[in-house]
Amino acid sequence: MKRFLNITVAVLFFVGAGLVHSQQINAPLADGEGQVQDLNFGANTMVINGYLYQVTDATKVEIDGSYGAFTMLKKGMIVEFSFLRFDDGVRRITELFEVDEVEEY
């Protein structure tokens, strides 16, 4: 019986630990626009208008009307994009399009 209790406690511990580090599944989608200020290809991150965004392999990138890659982006580009906004503050871009100009606020 003691062994059963130890196994049960261990299983509950690992399940609980997994829940603590799980990521939000239904993060809301938002839209943004602005100028690319910084790019970190090693960390798959970029800064647009002072906010840090993550980029993944699944991120759709369009440059000058054609398919592109994150590594083809350059500082100073003007972009419109959609991103997921997670509860922990992470912002992950799902699609990004280079544009000629954006509307001023």
Side-chain angles (χ1 to χ4, degrees):
M1 182 65 156
K2 185 176 180 182
R3 180 178 172 166
F4 175 76
L5 184 59
N6 287 342
I7 291 172
T8 303
V9 170
V11 169
L12 290 175
F13 173 77
F14 286 113
V15 169
L19 292 176
V20 170
H21 296 291
S22 65
Q23 188 156 37
Q24 181 181 349
I25 294 173
N26 58 349
L29 189 64
D31 293 321
E33 59 185 21
Q35 185 174 30
V36 176
Q37 297 170 314
D38 194 28
L39 295 160
N40 185 331
F41 299 126
N44 284 339
T45 60
M46 60 191 308
V47 176
I48 301 172
N49 292 349
Y51 291 98
L52 180 68
Y53 295 91
Q54 292 180 344
V55 180
T56 68
D57 293 339
T59 300
K60 177 183 175 184
V61 177
E62 189 177 291
I63 299 172
D64 199 25
S66 298
Y67 170 78
F70 173 59
T71 55
M72 296 171 68
L73 296 172
K74 296 180 181 172
K75 290 181 185 179
M77 284 183 162
I78 307 298
V79 295
E80 292 180 346
F81 57 97
S82 296
F83 65 98
L84 297 171
R85 187 180 310 194
F86 293 94
D87 286 343
D88 62 0
V90 172
R91 297 167 180 243
R92 183 172 304 141
I93 293 179
T94 57
E95 56 184 6
L96 180 138
F97 305 93
E98 179 191 22
V99 295
D100 292 330
E101 60 184 312
V102 293
E103 188 175 309
E104 294 291 326
Y105 293 40

